[in-house]
Amino acid sequence: MAERFVSRLFGGPGSDDNPLTSIHGHQCKKRHGHRQREKKLASHLYGQYSMALVKANARNEDRCQLVSGPLSNLPGGPIGVFVGIYDGHAGNLCSQFVLDNHFDNLKTAFTNQHGHVNCPVAIVEAYSSTEDKFVEHARENWQQKPKLASAGSCCLSAVVHNNVLYVANAGDSRAVLAKWGVGDEDAEEEQLSIDYTTQSVHRRRELQDVHFDDPDLIKVNNYGIYRVRGCVQVTRAIGDVYLKFDEFNQPPLKAQYRQQQPIVRPILRADPTGCTHPLGPRDKFVIFGSRGLWRGITNDEAVSLVKASPRSGAARALLIKALDNRARRHNLVYEDLKNQPLATRQNIHDDISIVILFFGNLPAENQ
């Protein structure tokens, strides 16, 4: 099947007004002249959402999804909204695996609670299960498909249940909450996730505290880019098994990924950190975005733009602004990107996935 948005409604015929929905964001044929795709506006159990993505790589490495409905496999079990942003690297084998498995693992974790709902515990169990299953999948298949050993994916996820927002992150995708009250001219932004990137001195120190005996732990190139073992810029991720288990440090792993120093203990972690945020009347929307979005726009700029935009098409408006910002750093504008060859476009921006969750059913500008 050609890659595209797939919208499956649990109840009745397809309708963007139905709050019970499941939608996956992959990649698609060209649209708007620039390999874009969007879901302008549709409903979820707690309000509405807008979704957009664009690819820069020959094969889009991003995946994203939104599920609104049952959170477990038990009749009468918990219901809510789930959002996942899966930013892959070294290909899309891992991000596709996470898309195919992570929400099902979450449902299993909730099911195993037998009605005693504990969202933070279920979320952490889902991450552990997704990681364990990918490692098992890689071990069984990497000799025939060596890219499984080098593929990895950031994993940002969120659950809204009983008017509480739970956010978990392993990687450098980001969730940003916007809030304001009646009469407030400006919105207040709050980042709900930690960026697990080597560009942060705090994240580098976190690694160095654990791997103090590793002389090759962090390498920096001529452009000032820090990488773990000279390979990846994230310090937490699903996959990347060649940086976790020494058994993969041999052919048929590509030479560029093979390590001179043995992997004594896993360098990258797959466990997330999270936050719990009870939703109140001031909480208006959350922007979930892969790293490609936040390379092109600040938290404050993103929140201000979405607040000033109609809900319908808000994700694409944010996407265009981020792309235009990136283009201007290369003495171009957004419209110029449409005619750029793939090799040039990859140097300007990354794959981008955006999901905006709006809370409540009134247009954002009227709340």
Side-chain angles (χ1 to χ4, degrees), residues 156-178:
L156 169 67
S157 66
V159 173
V160 186
H161 173 66
N162 281 348
N163 288 308
V164 179
L165 171 66
Y166 304 88
V167 175
N169 189 43
D172 58 1
S173 298
R174 188 182 299 174
V176 176
L177 171 69

Side-chain angles (χ1 to χ4, degrees), residues 16-27:
D16 286 346
D17 295 327
N18 191 331
L20 302 180
T21 186
S22 175
I23 184 166
H24 293 180
H26 296 227
Q27 195 42 57

Side-chain angles (χ1 to χ4, degrees), residues 253-328:
L253 183 68
K254 282 188 176 182
Q256 71 191 84
Y257 298 112
R258 286 183 224 153
Q259 304 298 304
Q260 293 181 348
Q261 296 290 331
I263 305 297
V264 177
R265 66 187 75 89
I267 298 176
L268 302 189
R269 298 168 56 177
D271 56 308
T273 54
C275 77
T276 299
H277 182 87
L279 293 171
R282 297 186 71 248
D283 300 316
K284 304 305 183 183
F285 59 82
V286 182
I287 303 169
F288 301 92
S290 59
R291 172 177 175 264
L293 170 65
W294 306 108
R295 289 182 66 201
I297 199 165
T298 65
N299 294 357
D300 183 67
E301 188 179 12
V303 164
S304 296
L305 186 148
V306 174
K307 182 179 187 292
S309 301
R311 282 189 174 185
S312 182
R316 182 168 181 255
L318 183 57
L319 178 72
I320 290 174
K321 180 60 177 175
L323 290 174
D324 186 62
N325 286 351
R326 292 295 303 176
R328 289 180 185 278

Side-chain angles (χ1 to χ4, degrees), residues 20 22 40 70 85 99 121 123 150 158 301 317 321 329 344 366:
L20 302 180
S22 175
K40 288 186 176 181
I85 301 285
L99 176 65
V121 169
I123 289 168
S150 55
E301 188 179 12
K321 180 60 177 175
R329 296 180 190 180
T344 302
N366 293 336

Side-chain angles (χ1 to χ4, degrees), residues 239-250:
D240 294 299
V241 295
Y242 74 105
L243 290 173
K244 296 173 180 176
F245 306 100
D246 203 51
E247 67 196 80
F248 298 98
N249 190 19
Q250 59 180 310

